[in-house]
Amino acid sequence: MIPPPSPETAAMDYVIGPLDVIAINVFNEPEVSSSGIPVDAVGNLALPLIGRIRASGLTATQLADTLRSGYGRYYVDPQVTVTVTSSVSQRVTVQGQVKKAGLYDVRGGTTLLDAIALAEGESEDAKLQEVLVIRTIDGQRSAAMFDLNRIRRGDDPDPAILGKDVIVVGHSNVKQAWHDTLRAAPLLNIFTAFR
């Protein structure tokens, strides 16, 4: 079950990923403080004094703790803060019956309805009872099915969407047949003036 978003944990749970960009601030130590530091493609940072360290898979708080111990060899009780300034790893894929399928950046607290809105909403042929969210949990791909109508009415909670989720909006053959009929109707019922 994919839970609704929690404002308290949205920012805390953000996990740094490859190609994210971070800022590191070491209080009163401008020579080792820096912004615009890219996480490389394998998830590491290259930093002065410390060298290469693993950043991918850590939250900003966990990385700050790691840096605090690394800089602790050179400074007395360094106060380190880490901020993610650009997130490449926090993107979701929205596909299927939406107006603009694609890859979208998400921030903490993004919900399923938010992600559908990023894709400019569902198409007229969408089957709103069949919206699939695919997520990797503990190395296993898992999926959950949602009904957008029930979420919009407030019957079901709006589930939290995380980076790397894949959202697939189903296709309704019945709606397509109805829309095809409506499109063809003007051609089928043409009144022509006779002279």
Side-chain angles (χ1 to χ4, degrees), residues 146-166:
F146 296 95
D147 182 335
L148 287 187
N149 289 324
R150 290 184 55 83
I151 293 170
R152 286 181 175 141
R153 284 193 311 261
D155 296 338
D156 293 338
D158 192 2
I161 297 300
L162 304 177
K164 300 181 184 171
D165 281 356
V166 176

Side-chain angles (χ1 to χ4, degrees), residues 17-183:
L19 307 178
D20 284 354
V21 178
I22 64 168
I24 298 171
N25 182 26
V26 182
F27 184 68
N28 280 337
E29 302 299 341
E31 64 278 356
V32 291
S33 296
S34 185
S35 60
I37 305 167
V39 179
D40 69 19
V42 293
N44 296 321
L45 292 173
L47 299 171
L49 299 179
I50 298 177
R52 292 175 59 82
I53 62 162
R54 185 85 178 152
S56 184
L58 300 177
T59 65
T61 303
Q62 291 169 330
L63 180 57
D65 290 341
T66 301
L67 295 175
R68 190 173 297 117
S69 64
Y71 285 125
R73 295 181 297 209
Y74 305 98
Y75 302 99
V76 177
D77 192 27
Q79 300 302 307
V80 181
T81 57
V82 173
T83 307
V84 179
T85 57
S86 174
S87 170
V88 173
S89 64
Q90 293 299 77
R91 290 186 175 171
V92 296
T93 303
V94 184
Q95 52 188 242
Q97 296 303 306
V98 290
K99 292 180 182 167
K100 191 174 178 186
L103 229 93
Y104 295 95
D105 292 329
V106 294
R107 300 281 181 243
T110 300
T111 67
L112 178 57
L113 290 179
D114 296 335
I116 297 295
L118 289 172
E120 298 182 7
E122 65 273 2
S123 71
E124 59 186 21
D125 298 330
K127 188 167 188 178
L128 300 181
Q129 302 86 348
E130 292 183 7
V131 178
L132 187 67
V133 177
I134 303 167
R135 177 176 296 169
T136 302
I137 302 172
D138 297 326
Q140 282 290 94
R141 284 181 62 91
S142 303
M145 188 75 69
F146 296 95
D147 182 335
L148 287 187
N149 289 324
R150 290 184 55 83
I151 293 170
R152 286 181 175 141
R153 284 193 311 261
D155 296 338
D156 293 338
D158 192 2
I161 297 300
L162 304 177
K164 300 181 184 171
D165 281 356
V166 176
I167 300 164
V168 183
V169 178
H171 179 264
S172 171
N173 290 328
V174 173
K175 282 186 179 180
Q176 181 179 359
W178 175 247
H179 289 121
D180 289 347
T181 301
L182 289 177
R183 284 187 204 99

